Amino acid sequence: MFVVSLSCDPGIGRAVAAEAGWRYCEAVRKVFPDGERYVRIPEDCSLKGERAVVVQSMYPNQDSMMVEALLAADALKGVTGLEPIAVVPYLAYARQDRVFLSGEAVSVRAVLRALHSAGYGGLVVLDVHKEDSLKHFRGTSVNVLPVNTLAKALKGVVERPLVISPDKGAARRAEALSRALGTEYRIVEKFRDRFTGEIRHRFAPMPEIRGRDVIVVDDIVSTGGTMASVVSFLREQGARKVFVAVSHGPLTKKALARLMDAGVTKIFSMATTCYRLEHPLITYLKPVGEVLQAIKEVLGTG
Amino acid sequence: MFVVSLSCDPGIGRAVAAEAGWRYCEAVRKVFPDGERYVRIPEDCSLKGERAVVVQSMYPNQDSMMVEALLAADALKGVTGLEPIAVVPYLAYARQDRVFLSGEAVSVRAVLRALHSAGYGGLVVLDVHKEDSLKHFRGTSVNVLPVNTLAKALKGVVERPLVISPDKGAARRAEALSRALGTEYRIVEKFRDRFTGEIRHRFAPMPEIRGRDVIVVDDIVSTGGTMASVVSFLREQGARKVFVAVSHGPLTKKALARLMDAGVTKIFSMATTCYRLEHPLITYLKPVGEVLQAIKEVLGTG
């Protein structure tokens, strides 16, 4: 086994290779003056008959990172004679996972089909928007919920923790994290105020929050609107500290500003993208153990 | 049948639809704030059981135009239940058509596989770098040499024409164009001057050029270096006018300046890309008839 990083590996490839004792290298990449990309696997890295793991995230420059991944699969099949495994920490186009309006593309299906047809036999993604989307990948796929890495970072930081899911859809993440932390989780309900029209939040029934540390867990913070509103609500309910734990993001300065205004204590995010907002309030984590475990599952040895 | 234009259709889709009497529409496209693209086929355009022709070129923004084409195939399969046909006037990544250095991707193979796996059952390209590359597309494919459109534009403009191929590799184009013009063609040989080290040109044997109009035909002018050198040589040999006829380009101002310095009379190029250098010396042509014929060949009705 060997691990190959492409242009958007947020440091996961090298770390996984070190943990597993696999060889690690970066693919040679360039962009021609006309904008076309080029990928070559260094000769001293690859061996015929040895399987490759390719690490490539897809934010920013989603389309180019996607095409680069297709080129890498072609190159690796040629060199090793085997189908490589793709590790995609952030899978682009995952939110367009169904036809919302007649005539739309199911974009995530198009992306997953292209990855498989390019030669990837296996796929590891980090907390994909809807796990069900992975059915469009015709090889073996594993969705990583980086719960252990999160729990390890939170332990010793939080006191009397309560895990919060900002909606029912994210409950699975909250449940898993609460188990890893040995505590319980609760779902915050969203409703529209009848008089003001504002989106507000409530618990049913209300848990004891006063003086506790709460951790709001979700897959992504993009604009930060909903998350900031949940953080405010939890502060109003008397939470001592409010942590935000996400798999992807925050992606914009505006999102961070909103969370700070709402009174967030600290943000934990996985290092899944190549653009990262650096700020003392944000800690980026690499879910090395979980990714390695998922690769082994894809290989059928996990 | 209906024709759908994506973001990079250089006016070919509408013209082909008009010529064929097919319905024409533009796909709804947008780019989300995070950079992801979106494609939707308008409801009043598409019908279940009716086959679509998608027109999308791939320069500039090769990768995004590629991904957009993948999304459109997904959308159209969903709406029509049939595999659409792709018309790609300029196929990106066509020059990386083999492994030049061990470990390289055969990029054009990756691109053609992705197009097919996305759902395109047929493919029409314009003067692809190497026709042999099309074997990587698993559906039916046709490479269009836009000879009739060129001949039509040249007739009445040229006197006593002689068609020139700037190297042996391009001879097929020159041969086809000379036949369409009812004249002969010759190949210019390239050699390195033993004393100066310069690249120079010669004919073997020398044809009568003095006072004739010559047409140098090639697939693409990118930097313009070789083409300018051939134009100079033909001027030195006494050509009355020197026309350059290419399928793609010229792509840069520098290339145009070089050709002008060398004494080019006029440049004919197909309208295959979405960036076009506008200049009185350049005439862009749409090979409508040839593309329509190729679509019919792909459909098995040509």
Side-chain angles (χ1 to χ4, degrees):
Chain A
M1 295 287 299
F2 64 107
V3 178
V4 180
S5 285
L6 301 183
S7 295
C8 183
D9 174 358
I12 289 175
R14 186 187 289 275
V16 166
E19 177 85 8
W22 295 335
R23 206 162 58 265
Y24 170 78
C25 61
E26 282 189 27
V28 177
R29 294 106 44 201
K30 60 183 178 191
V31 182
F32 291 109
D34 68 352
E36 290 189 2
R37 281 166 190 272
Y38 167 94
V39 171
R40 186 168 67 82
I41 311 302
E43 267 182 59
D44 57 356
C45 182
S46 56
L47 282 174
K48 191 150 191 70
E50 202 183 356
R51 195 175 302 275
V53 173
V54 174
V55 182
Q56 173 83 324
S57 198
M58 295 187 181
Y59 182 87
N61 302 320
Q62 292 92 334
D63 300 337
S64 288
M65 295 307 101
M66 166 76 185
V67 168
E68 204 183 66
L70 302 183
L71 302 186
D74 188 276
L76 281 162
K77 266 196 314 179
V79 171
T80 67
L82 294 175
E83 290 187 331
I85 293 167
V87 173
V88 183
Y90 179 78
L91 181 70
Y93 292 99
R95 277 174 287 186
Q96 184 70 27
D97 61 348
R98 61 188 182 88
V99 174
F100 298 90
L101 204 61
S102 169
E104 282 181 351
V106 179
S107 307
V108 71
R109 175 169 62 197
V111 166
L112 291 173
R113 281 203 176 172
L115 287 173
H116 185 253
S117 78
Y120 291 106
L123 173 68
V124 173
V125 293
L126 249 90
D127 204 352
V128 66
H129 184 62
K130 290 263 168 57
E131 191 160 285
D132 186 51
S133 301
L134 294 182
K135 71 183 177 214
H136 300 302
F137 184 79
R138 287 169 189 163
T140 312
S141 61
V142 171
N143 181 36
V144 171
L145 280 189
V147 165
N148 291 337
T149 297
L150 256 180
K152 226 166 93 180
L154 284 162
K155 267 177 194 165
V157 177
V158 292
E159 278 177 38
R160 297 178 60 219
L162 174 67
V163 180
I164 305 287
S165 175
D167 60 56
K168 273 184 195 158
R172 210 167 56 90
R173 279 178 208 95
E175 200 259 321
L177 182 61
S178 67
R179 233 182 313 121
L181 286 170
T183 184
E184 74 272 34
Y185 79 98
R186 302 298 298 272
I187 298 167
V188 163
E189 289 177 5
K190 208 193 272 195
F191 68 100
R192 189 175 293 275
D193 188 294
R194 246 196 252 192
F195 301 103
T196 66
E198 268 180 294
I199 295 290
R200 294 179 56 192
H201 295 92
R202 68 179 165 214
F203 284 106
M206 190 64 209
E208 185 48 51
I209 286 187
R210 197 154 300 276
R212 291 184 77 172
D213 288 350
V214 294
I215 305 149
V216 193
V217 61
D218 210 346
D219 61 340
I220 191 164
V221 171
S222 35
T223 64
T226 302
M227 185 59 94
S229 162
V230 170
V231 170
S232 290
F233 168 70
L234 293 166
R235 281 291 193 195
E236 285 160 22
Q237 300 308 310
R240 194 179 77 109
K241 292 181 177 174
V242 182
F243 296 88
V244 165
V246 286
S247 300
H248 313 288
L251 301 177
T252 65
K253 280 185 190 170
K254 199 171 167 187
L256 175 63
R258 278 176 167 169
L259 293 177
M260 288 171 71
D261 284 349
V264 73
T265 306
K266 196 153 185 54
I267 300 162
F268 290 94
S269 172
M270 294 298 134
T272 60
T273 62
C274 289
Y275 164 77
R276 279 205 293 275
L277 196 58
E278 299 294 343
H279 191 277
L281 273 194
I282 314 174
T283 299
Y284 291 99
L285 307 167
K286 287 178 198 160
V288 176
E290 289 102 326
V291 168
L292 180 54
Q293 177 59 30
I295 293 169
K296 288 178 176 171
E297 278 175 46
V298 165
L299 287 167
T301 60
Chain B
M1 295 288 297
F2 63 107
V3 178
V4 180
S5 285
L6 301 183
S7 294
C8 183
D9 174 357
I12 289 174
R14 187 187 289 273
V16 166
E19 177 86 8
W22 294 335
R23 208 162 58 264
Y24 170 78
C25 60
E26 283 189 26
V28 177
R29 294 105 46 201
K30 60 182 179 191
V31 183
F32 290 109
D34 68 353
E36 292 189 2
R37 282 166 189 271
Y38 167 94
V39 170
R40 185 167 67 82
I41 311 303
E43 265 182 61
D44 56 357
C45 182
S46 56
L47 283 174
K48 190 148 192 73
E50 204 183 354
R51 197 175 300 275
V53 173
V54 174
V55 182
Q56 173 83 324
S57 199
M58 294 186 181
Y59 182 87
N61 302 322
Q62 292 91 335
D63 300 337
S64 288
M65 295 307 100
M66 166 75 184
V67 169
E68 204 183 65
L70 302 182
L71 302 187
D74 188 276
L76 281 162
K77 266 195 316 178
V79 171
T80 66
L82 296 175
E83 290 186 332
I85 293 167
V87 173
V88 183
Y90 179 77
L91 181 70
Y93 292 100
R95 278 173 287 186
Q96 184 70 27
D97 60 349
R98 60 187 182 89
V99 173
F100 299 90
L101 204 61
S102 168
E104 283 181 351
V106 179
S107 306
V108 69
R109 175 168 63 195
V111 166
L112 291 173
R113 281 203 177 172
L115 287 173
H116 185 251
S117 79
Y120 290 107
L123 173 68
V124 173
V125 293
L126 251 91
D127 205 352
V128 67
H129 184 61
K130 289 265 168 56
E131 191 161 285
D132 186 52
S133 301
L134 295 182
K135 71 181 177 215
H136 299 303
F137 184 78
R138 288 171 188 160
T140 312
S141 60
V142 172
N143 180 37
V144 171
L145 280 189
V147 165
N148 292 336
T149 296
L150 257 181
K152 226 166 93 180
L154 285 162
K155 268 177 193 164
V157 178
V158 292
E159 279 176 39
R160 297 177 59 219
L162 174 67
V163 180
I164 304 288
S165 175
D167 60 57
K168 273 185 195 155
R172 210 167 56 89
R173 280 179 207 95
E175 200 260 320
L177 182 61
S178 66
R179 233 185 310 123
L181 285 171
T183 184
E184 73 272 36
Y185 80 98
R186 300 299 297 272
I187 298 167
V188 163
E189 286 178 6
K190 208 193 271 195
F191 69 100
R192 189 176 291 278
D193 188 295
R194 242 196 258 194
F195 300 103
T196 66
E198 268 179 295
I199 294 292
R200 295 178 56 190
H201 295 91
R202 67 179 165 214
F203 286 106
M206 190 65 209
E208 186 44 55
I209 287 189
R210 197 155 299 278
R212 292 185 75 173
D213 288 350
V214 294
I215 306 149
V216 193
V217 61
D218 209 347
D219 61 340
I220 191 164
V221 170
S222 32
T223 64
T226 302
M227 185 59 94
S229 162
V230 170
V231 170
S232 291
F233 168 70
L234 293 167
R235 280 290 194 197
E236 286 159 21
Q237 301 308 312
R240 193 179 78 108
K241 292 181 177 174
V242 182
F243 296 88
V244 166
V246 285
S247 301
H248 313 288
L251 300 177
T252 65
K253 280 184 191 171
K254 198 171 167 186
L256 175 62
R258 277 177 168 168
L259 293 177
M260 287 171 71
D261 285 349
V264 73
T265 306
K266 195 153 186 53
I267 300 162
F268 290 94
S269 172
M270 294 297 134
T272 60
T273 62
C274 288
Y275 165 77
R276 281 206 291 274
L277 194 59
E278 299 294 342
H279 190 277
L281 274 194
I282 314 174
T283 300
Y284 291 99
L285 306 167
K286 286 178 197 161
V288 176
E290 288 102 325
V291 169
L292 179 55
Q293 178 57 32
I295 294 169
K296 288 177 176 171
E297 278 174 46
V298 165
L299 287 167
T301 61

